[in-house]
Amino acid sequence: MNKKDSIVALSSGRLPAGVAVIRMSGPRTRFVVETIAGTVKDRFTTLRKLRAADGSIIDQGLVLFFPGPGSFTGEDVAEFQVHGSRAVAAKILETITQFEGVRHAEPGEFTRRAFLNGKFDLVETEALADLVNAETEAQRRFALRNAEGAQSALYSSWRRRLIHARAMIEAEIDFADEEDVPGSVSDAVWSDVAAMIGEIGQHIDGFKAAEIIRDGFEVVILGAPNAGKSSLFNALARREAAIVTDEPGTTRDLLEVVMDLNGLKVRIVDTAGLRDAAGKVESIGIERARAKAGDTDLILLLEDMADPVPVGEVASEAPLLRVGTKSDIGTVGPDAYDLVISAREGTGLGSLLDEIGTRAARAAGDASEVLPSRLRHVELLKETTGFLRAALSGHSQELRAEELRLAADRLGRIIGAVDVEDLLDVIFSQFCIGK
């Protein structure tokens, strides 16, 4: 990637569409705008005819110009809002890329330039990607809060506390004779470090909830063959997603459908019927079903109320709901189950969905909470707490200060803001060492 280049790309959705938005960024932006559209006022929407290199009119549309650094990327940025036909968009892109120093943008390059120009940090950049890909209301709220800087602010505050702690310790070591350096600060520093370990640990514990918000609450349907698993799966999917027959072993692989329950993403997984006497291919499906049940958020254990067949113990720590199926023809009492349903008649499905939605909401918590949104964050946070524990248990003040430096470095890596000058800023501002 060459930052000296100007870049251009279609930034709106798939064509044809009502409107196509073509975005451009870089040093040649103003020249291109004035050449093909004429002079426009900064930050104002202007209706202009857009012309090709030979002077012919390509289309008439709205043009906006945002001078850097007050733009999305921090560079000069322009947007052309034109009629959303493939031919119009292609001709405008062709015309713009004919200018010297202008090329098609690489995937994610506008956001990458925004990061490199200090418009976003790494966490905010990741959150922006989550916001673009959000499918549910919970995902939108979670991504928007992080894109606005809530997560970055938390990590930055921890990092500032560590930089301050290290500055205090190193000042005590190197400048103990200076009058404007406090006396013994160790007790206060190490007390704050211990508190921070607890805070970061509690934050890490929220990663499971963040995973559920981003990736979905997973529900696995288990049961014996012909227990009504695929019928329930199709009823929830509202389409014939799985084959339903009276022959045992019809479902051999994992099938998944995604639902939106009260603004939360929920993934329903249909599995092979659990039984002992099965063929080679069916046995593979059964093993996959048991493995999936071992790592999920909720299990629906279905049993045919007309002909119950037990499947034995399910090796999983996930919560389990016993669901009686075929209640329209069942003979077993409903008290034997947590819920009873009839996929054929649709009875009990509303109650089942309500229960799944309640459990999903409980597992996800509040989408507005500040939670670690990436495994990368969790790994670096764990490294941070490891260095902090080492600092607490150390004996040499010099080595303990180094552990604090390494901990702050890991937090800096999360947000992409590792700056060796930070420590000097704290020392000069608080201890007047350079006087």
Side-chain angles (χ1 to χ4, degrees):
M1 183 184 73
N2 186 350
K3 285 188 64 179
K4 294 181 180 180
D5 290 342
S6 293
I7 54 175
V8 64
L10 176 68
S11 294
S12 52
R14 181 178 298 178
L15 302 177
V19 176
V21 179
I22 295 171
R23 176 184 287 175
M24 182 178 179
S25 177
R28 299 282 288 170
T29 301
R30 185 184 289 275
F31 176 76
V32 170
V33 169
E34 292 179 348
T35 302
I36 70 173
T39 303
V40 297
K41 189 175 181 180
D42 295 355
R43 304 183 184 283
F44 277 78
T45 304
T46 308
L47 181 64
R48 284 284 187 271
K49 293 179 180 179
L50 308 181
R51 299 181 181 275
D54 60 4
S56 62
I57 297 175
I58 303 172
D59 193 16
Q60 181 173 262
L62 300 177
V63 181
L64 299 91
F65 179 79
F66 305 92
S71 67
F72 174 75
T73 64
E75 305 172 331
D76 287 350
V77 171
E79 287 189 0
F80 304 92
Q81 299 179 12
V82 295
H83 293 97
S85 75
R86 294 187 180 93
V88 168
K91 184 62 178 179
I92 292 176
L93 289 170
E94 176 190 342
T95 299
I96 293 175
T97 53
Q98 286 177 349
F99 286 86
E100 184 180 355
V102 182
R103 59 175 173 79
H104 291 283
E106 299 172 3
E109 191 170 355
F110 285 94
T111 304
R112 183 173 181 178
R113 290 192 176 200
F115 166 70
L116 292 174
N117 289 324
K119 308 299 287 188
F120 303 103
D121 62 30
L122 282 180
V123 174
E124 291 167 339
T125 301
E126 291 167 333
L128 185 61
D130 288 341
L131 187 60
V132 170
N133 295 317
E135 299 174 304
T136 66
E137 177 61 16
Q139 289 175 339
R140 183 195 66 80
R141 293 200 311 270
F142 182 59
L144 182 61
R145 182 163 171 76
N146 289 336
E148 290 178 337
Q151 196 177 353
S152 297
L154 178 63
Y155 299 153
S156 295
S157 69
W158 283 334
R159 184 165 173 262
R160 285 194 299 270
R161 285 163 65 182
L162 288 181
I163 292 171
H164 177 267
R166 182 185 165 209
M168 290 290 189
I169 294 300
E170 294 201 348
E172 188 178 66
I173 295 170
D174 297 334
F175 305 99
D177 295 334
E178 294 282 340
E179 293 181 359
D180 50 359
V181 176
S184 176
V185 297
S186 296
D187 291 344
V189 166
W190 300 123
S191 176
D192 188 51
V193 168
M196 204 179 307
I197 291 174
E199 293 170 19
I200 295 175
Q202 186 176 5
H203 180 70
I204 291 173
D205 291 340
F207 182 57
K208 179 60 178 176
E211 280 190 308
I212 289 173
I213 293 172
R214 292 184 69 247
D215 301 329
F217 182 80
E218 186 177 76
V219 181
V220 171
I221 304 175
L222 292 182
N226 291 333
K229 299 184 302 301
S230 294
S231 295
L232 172 60
F233 183 76
N234 288 341
L236 296 179
R238 297 183 179 180
R239 60 186 174 87
E240 295 298 315
I243 299 173
V244 179
T245 71
D246 294 331
E247 180 182 342
T250 302
T251 302
R252 305 260 178 122
D253 207 346
L254 303 177
L255 301 176
E256 181 177 294
V257 66
V258 176
M259 305 177 64
D260 185 336
L261 290 183
N262 302 322
L264 279 170
K265 182 178 180 179
V266 176
R267 294 183 287 116
I268 309 292
V269 182
D270 188 21
T271 64
L274 304 182
R275 61 172 178 167
D276 293 329
K280 184 176 180 180
V281 175
E282 187 181 349
S283 295
I284 295 174
I286 292 172
E287 287 302 313
R288 289 181 178 178
R290 293 190 180 278
K292 193 68 171 175
D295 184 25
T296 192
D297 300 310
L298 176 65
I299 295 173
L300 302 183
L301 185 58
L302 272 55
E303 190 172 277
D304 184 347
M305 297 175 68
D307 183 21
V309 178
V311 296
E313 293 294 323
V314 177
S316 177
E317 297 182 0
L320 186 145
L321 270 180
R322 290 178 54 82
V323 180
T325 62
K326 306 179 185 179
S327 62
D328 52 318
I329 60 173
T331 57
V332 178
D335 293 342
Y337 307 99
D338 298 312
L339 292 165
V340 295
I341 64 170
S342 169
R344 176 182 295 176
E345 297 187 350
T347 57
L349 294 182
S351 298
L352 177 59
L353 286 173
D354 288 343
E355 182 65 22
I356 293 173
T358 298
R359 291 176 179 250
R362 189 185 306 139
D366 186 355
S368 64
E369 291 181 5
V370 181
L371 305 172
S373 56
R374 291 287 194 284
L375 182 60
R376 177 182 76 86
H377 306 165
V378 173
E379 291 173 344
L380 287 169
L381 288 168
K382 287 180 177 179
E383 290 183 28
T384 300
T385 55
F387 288 124
L388 294 182
R389 289 192 178 93
L392 280 181
S393 61
H395 299 289
S396 166
Q397 290 286 68
E398 289 83 356
L399 292 178
R400 299 174 83 183
E402 175 62 11
E403 298 290 355
L404 293 179
R405 184 192 70 79
L406 293 172
D409 174 81
R410 295 310 184 271
L411 290 173
R413 292 185 186 186
I414 297 178
I415 59 177
V418 178
D419 187 353
V420 296
E421 297 298 319
D422 286 349
L423 181 60
L424 297 178
D425 291 341
V426 172
I427 292 176
F428 285 132
S429 64
Q430 293 197 17
F431 300 114
C432 304
I433 291 171
K435 66 180 183 182

